[in-house]
Amino acid sequence: MTAKVAFLECCACRKRIPGGEIQSHNHCDCGGPLFVRYNLDTIRNTWRRPELTTAPLTMWRYAQVLPAEIEKQIITLGEGMTPILGAVRLGRRIGIPDLWIKDEGRNPTGSSKARGLACAVSMALQTGLMKLAIASTGNAASALAAYTAAAGIEAHVFLPKDARRADIIECKSCGAHLTIVEGSIDDCAARVAELAKTGNWQNVSTLQEPYRLEGEKTMGYEVAEQFHWKLPGVIVYPTGSGLGIVAIWKALEEMEALGWIGSERPRMVAVQPEGCMPLVRAWQEGARQSRPFENPHTVASGLRVPKPPGDFLVLDILRASDGAAVAVSDEEILDAGIALASEDGIFASPEGAACVAALSKLLVDGFWKAGEKVLIYNTGSGLKYSEAYSTRFPATASAEQDKLGGLITPR
Ligand SMILES: *Cc1c(COP(=O)(O)O)cnc(C)c1O
Ligand SMILES: [Zn+2]
């Protein structure tokens, strides 16, 4: 561990683990998630914004605030520095002209999960962990499978029974050991937690170790840099476990400590599907934590997290930023996904599409203020979600495909 890391800090009881002692760490003795804290006062004097002009065009351009030692071996597949695209036609139609999409579907393995797992797997390699296990709704598992394959270490992935075919095939192709679990990601997480107790397994499920969050926070750094250090008024993020939104918020705090941005913050909006909306319910009830959501179901499978491990952290951020939590139906999600694709050519995952669907509710509420710039994270590629979108295009048999495409049979 280089001197850049000061210590790990429990975000529940604030206990500190000194930087020199950092090996592999899961969570605090009290059960709270650990955050990596850096010597930002020192880094601030040695690392300035102009240095980014010569930095790599991946998330590793922010290596000064990532835990892995860049001089040693890191595992990269080119994650990060995804484009921010203008949703010009859709934005104009719905009445939010300054609307932007950060397209995380461009990452390796097709989702933002690549960032966190690139960092966690690099840390595993640098601390000598050879066996990683994860509970996932799909995208985190396929990312783990790809990065561990590149690192030459073992991955054990636990997916719920209704996991997407694309992820299952991707995990198997990358050589991961796959277990399908009856139930939801919470049941998968319980299985992994049990296993992690029994031996030399490192649990890399959400907020069970501190390093995935570090990789994901580069989503926040990039937005500031790509918008020339002027943040949008509103950030909309599809929230499952809560890791993504918590990571973006941490990036904003660090950038302020580095003197890169001021104290102003975007209003953060968490979007969930009506079929699994524990955070929206907690927000509406004014609760500090969520209650497990009953019978969770949604086409936005990355958001099927009945009891988000980061719930209290997300709710704090929504309050601190004067933000909101919004629920949308699966029908609205698919409509919005097809609208974005047909109007602006961006084929989003249902999770990203959920944020597009949420916009009309923010307009009705008067939440969005005229002239404000809005940034949506499209966290995954629509190409991984053929099951979800095929409910709108039920073409599998060739006769159906003929009808859809208006096929002319050659003689
Ligand atoms: C995991 C995931 C999410 C949810 O992110 P969290 O960090 O778990 O809140 C959203 N979209 C996609 C595509 C995902 O894979
Ligand atoms: Zn603690």
Side-chain angles (χ1 to χ4, degrees), residues 3-195:
K4 65 189 172 183
V5 175
F7 50 86
L8 298 182
E9 183 183 32
C10 171
C11 60
C13 75
R14 300 285 155 198
K15 184 181 150 182
R16 294 177 174 190
I17 298 169
E21 291 174 22
I22 296 170
Q23 289 283 321
S24 62
H25 268 287
N26 279 21
H27 30 63
C28 177
D29 306 334
C30 83
L34 294 172
F35 280 11
V36 182
R37 299 296 184 197
Y38 299 84
N39 290 309
L40 294 174
D41 286 343
T42 316
I43 296 170
R44 179 189 171 113
N45 295 322
T46 55
W47 187 45
R48 303 244 156 80
R49 282 181 349 197
E51 290 187 36
L52 291 170
T53 49
T54 53
L57 291 169
T58 67
M59 74 173 203
W60 297 98
R61 63 200 280 101
Y62 310 106
Q64 299 281 352
V65 287
L66 292 173
E69 285 181 65
I70 198 86
E71 308 76 25
K72 292 192 185 169
Q73 193 183 5
I74 56 155
I75 301 297
T76 178
L77 298 171
E79 53 288 338
M81 271 319 249
T82 55
I84 295 181
L85 308 168
V88 180
R89 300 214 304 152
L90 184 135
R92 207 180 293 143
R93 174 175 57 80
I94 66 171
I96 301 181
D98 205 2
L99 178 63
W100 301 84
I101 314 272
K102 180 137 177 84
D103 194 6
E104 290 294 304
R106 311 287 186 94
N107 277 304
T109 73
S111 83
S112 53
K113 297 293 194 297
R115 297 173 185 265
L117 285 147
C119 187
V121 171
S122 294
M123 285 303 286
L125 200 65
Q126 296 191 357
T127 53
L129 296 164
M130 295 307 284
K131 219 169 168 183
L132 306 185
I134 200 164
S136 165
T137 58
N139 286 325
S142 61
L144 177 68
Y147 287 95
T148 48
I153 59 185
E154 219 174 286
H156 294 258
V157 309
F158 294 76
L159 296 175
K161 212 169 88 183
D162 63 353
R164 281 167 288 120
R165 252 189 102 56
D167 285 310
I168 290 174
I169 292 169
E170 199 176 358
C171 286
K172 290 218 142 213
S173 299
C174 291
H177 301 268
L178 171 68
T179 306
I180 302 286
V181 177
E182 189 82 46
S184 75
I185 186 175
D186 290 357
D187 304 291
C188 298
R191 283 287 296 275
V192 175
E194 248 168 64
L195 270 173

Side-chain angles (χ1 to χ4, degrees), residues 44 49 224 229-233 249 251-268 317 320-322:
R44 179 189 171 113
R49 282 181 349 197
W229 314 106
K230 200 167 168 347
L231 296 171
W249 193 254
L252 302 181
E253 288 179 342
E254 288 179 2
M255 282 189 286
E256 185 181 353
L258 289 169
W260 288 12
I261 60 169
S263 59
E264 73 287 351
R265 292 288 181 274
R267 288 178 294 145
M268 306 295 286
I317 290 166
S321 74
D322 202 13

